Amino acid sequence: MALSLSGESIAFFVLSMMAIGGGIMMINSTRVVHMVLALAFSLLSIAGIYVLLHAEFLAVVQVLIYTGAISILMLFGIMLTKHKVDEEDGWSGRLGHSLLSFLGVGALFAIVMGVIYRTPFAGKVAATKSFTVEALGKSVFKQYVIPFELTSILLLVALVGAVILAKKEADS
Amino acid sequence: MNTLIDYDWTVMAPELTIVVMAAFLSVIDLFLHPNKDRRLFMWPTLIGIVGAMCFVGMSWGKPAYQILADTYRVDDFALAFKMIMLIGTAFITVMSYGAFRKEKGFAEGEYYYLLLTALLGGMVMASSGDLITLFVGLELLSISTYILVGIRKRSVMTNEAAWKNVVLGGVASGFILYGMSFLYGLTGSTNLFTVRDRLGEALTSGYDLYAWLALFLIVFGFGFKVAAAPFHMWVPDVYQGAPTPITAFLAAISKTAAIALILRMFLIGFIPLFQGGRGTVLDEKTGGRVLLILAGLSMIVGTVIALRQQDAKRLLSYSSIAQAGVILVPLASWGPFLFPSTLYYLTGYLFSTVGAFSVLMLIERESRDSHLSSFAGLSRRSPFTALAMTLFLLSLAGIPVTAGFFGKFYILANAVVTGSPEHWAMYLIAGIMLVTTVASYFYYFAIIRMMYFRASQVEEKLRIPVGAMIVISVAAVATLGLGLMPQLVVDILGNVDWGASLAPVK
C-alpha cells in the first residue's frame, strides 16, 4: 500500500499521534489533574479524526460530551473530593508482572495487526453523504428504540449505584 | 418498514412488569422515611417476578415473534432462559428477606430494585437477535451486579471483591464489544441473521481471519462472564467478598444469562464459521475446539483447586468454575440435544446452587465466617438443613437420584452420540467430565463429613429465618424431584422446535 502524502494523511498521522500520546501521558502521569488533561487531549484528537472521516456530527458530539462535559465533570470531582496526590514512585509492581502484561499486550497487538494486514480491504469508499443526523435520529428512535430505552435504565442504575456506594451514612 | 405501533408490544410483558416494579420500588424508597425497615420490599419484588413468570408461562409454545428488526424477539429459547432466571431471582429475593437486618447503613431498598434491573438485563440478553440489545442487556446485568457485589461497603473483603469485579468485568465487556465491532465492520449490520448471511459471503472472499478474530475476542470476554478457566482468576475473590445471596445470583443467574448470549451469538451469527470447509487458515473445527479447551480446562482447574480449599464459600466458587465447564460441553460438542441438555443442566444447577448458598448464608451468619469447620455438627444442630445441604452437594457432584446426576448424564450422552467427525475429542471431553466428577466427590464430601461426623463447638439449635427455610425446602424438593422424575422437564424441553429459535421470524 503506497502512502500518498496528501494533506489528509498528514492530518491523520498528526491526530493519531496526539491521540496515542495523550493516552500514554494519561497512564504515566501521577497527578490526577494531569491525567484528566491528557485524557481530554486524547479525546479531542479523536474528534479531529472523526472530522477527517466526514463524521462531523460525531465530532461535534465528541467535543461536546467527552472533551467538554466529561473532563469538566472529572475536574469537579477532583475539586470536590479529598485528593492527596500520591507523589511516591507509582511503579511498585513486580518485574515479572510487567513483563507478562507486556507480552500479553504485545501478542494481542501483533495478532490484531497481523489479521488487519492480511485482510484484503476493498478500495471502495462508502458514501458517507447519506449518513446524516436525520438518518441517525431515525435509527436511534425507531429501529433501536428498545436498546435506547434500556440505556436510560442503565444510566439510572449507574447513578443509583454511584450514590449508594459514595454517600456517607447519616446514621448515628 | 413497520412503525412502532404496528408491533404487538404485549409480548414484552415480562420485561415491562420488571421495569414497572423496579421503578415503583425506587419511588417508594425515595418517599419512605430513611429509618424505616425496608425488608418488606421483598414482597413487591416477588410479586413483580411472579407476575413476569406468569406472562412467560402464557407465551410458552407460541410461534416466535420479533419487534423492530429482531432488537427484541420472543421464542421458546428466550422464554426457557427467562424462566430459569426468574425462578433464580425469586429464590434470591426470598432468601434475602431479613438477611441484612443487623447491618447498619445497608441500602436495602436499592438492593431489591437493583436485583430487578440485573434480572431485566439478563432477560434482555436472552431475548434479542441484535448485537446492540445484547450488549446493552449485558451491561445492565453487569453494572447492577457490580453495585450489588459492593453494596456492603464497610467490609474490606467486599470492597476488594467489588473492585476486582468492576475492573475485570469492564475488561471483559470491552473485549466483547471489540469483537462485536469487528463483526459489525465486516458485515455492516448488527442484526444476527443479517450477520450470518453476510459472514458466509465474507468467508469466501478472504475475510475469514477477521471473522475469527471477532470470535476469539468474544470468547475471551465471554470466558470472563461465565467464569470459565483460564479466565477464572476473579471468581473466588469476588464470590467470597460479595454478600452470599449475591454470590448465588452471580453463580446461577449471571452464568445462565451469559450462556444465553453465547448460544445466540454462536448458533446464529457465527454459524458460518462452524460450517466453513473452504480451505482457509483456520478450519471449521477450530471454534468447537476452542470451546472444548475452555470446557475441559474449567473442569480440571476448578476441581483441582477446589480440592485444597478450607473455606466453604471459596470451595463453592471453584466448584462453580468446574460447573461452568460442564455447561459449556453441549455447546462445544453440538449434538442432537444441545438445547435440552444445556437447559436441563442449568435448571438443576440453579436449584442446587441457590440451595447450597442459602445454607451457607445461615452458617455464615451464625459463625461469622465461612470456614469448612463452621459446618461441624450441623446434623445435630439442624438435621433438616444438614439433609438439604447433603442433597444439594450430591446434586452438584452428580450422584444419582438428584437433578445433577441426570443433567450430567444427559450432557454426557449428548457428547458421545454427537455426529461430530472428531469422535476422539468427544470421548476425551466425556473422560475429563467423568474423572473431574469423581474427583469432585472428595471436596463435596468434605462438607458432608463435617456436617455429620464432626462434633460442633456450639450445641444450640441453628436459627433458620422463614425466607431461607422456604428457599431451602423448595430447592431441595426441586433437586430431588428433577432427579427422580427428569422426564417432567425433559418432555417439555424435548417437544420444543429449537430450530425456530435460530431462524428469522416469518
Side-chain angles (χ1 to χ4, degrees), chain B residues 370-392:
Chain B
S370 53
H371 199 268
L372 271 185
S373 58
S374 309
F375 280 90
L378 188 67
S379 62
R380 276 176 293 282
R381 296 176 60 203
S382 169
F384 161 74
T385 321
L387 193 66
M389 186 67 175
T390 310
L391 196 63
F392 300 138

Side-chain angles (χ1 to χ4, degrees), chain B residues 313-327:
Chain B
K313 217 168 170 182
R314 281 187 94 81
L315 192 153
L316 286 176
S317 331
Y318 280 108
S319 119
S320 97
I321 296 171
Q323 304 283 350
V326 178
I327 299 169

Side-chain angles (χ1 to χ4, degrees), chain B residues 74 97 152 158 171 173 214 270 325 344 376 379 394 444 488 504:
Chain B
V74 52
Y97 183 71
R152 197 182 258 161
T158 300
V171 170
S173 297
F270 278 118
Y344 185 89
S379 62
L394 291 182
Y444 289 126
L488 286 182

Side-chain angles (χ1 to χ4, degrees), chain B residues 37-51:
Chain B
D37 190 5
R38 279 162 170 72
R39 257 188 305 164
L40 293 176
F41 274 33
M42 188 275 273
W43 290 109
T45 314
L46 195 63
I47 291 168
I49 294 173
V50 171

Side-chain angles (χ1 to χ4, degrees), chain B residues 344 347-348 351-352 388 391-392 395 399-407 472-491:
Chain B
Y344 185 89
T347 314
F351 289 125
S352 335
L391 196 63
F392 300 138
S395 173
I399 287 175
V401 304
T402 55
F405 167 72
F406 187 77
I472 293 171
S473 336
V474 176
V477 169
T479 308
L480 197 62
L482 279 175
L484 287 173
M485 290 169 288
Q487 70 273 19
L488 286 182
V489 174
V490 172
D491 279 350

Side-chain angles (χ1 to χ4, degrees), chain A residues 119-125, chain B residues 207:
Chain A
T119 306
F121 284 106
K124 273 184 291 178
V125 179
Chain B
Y207 292 100

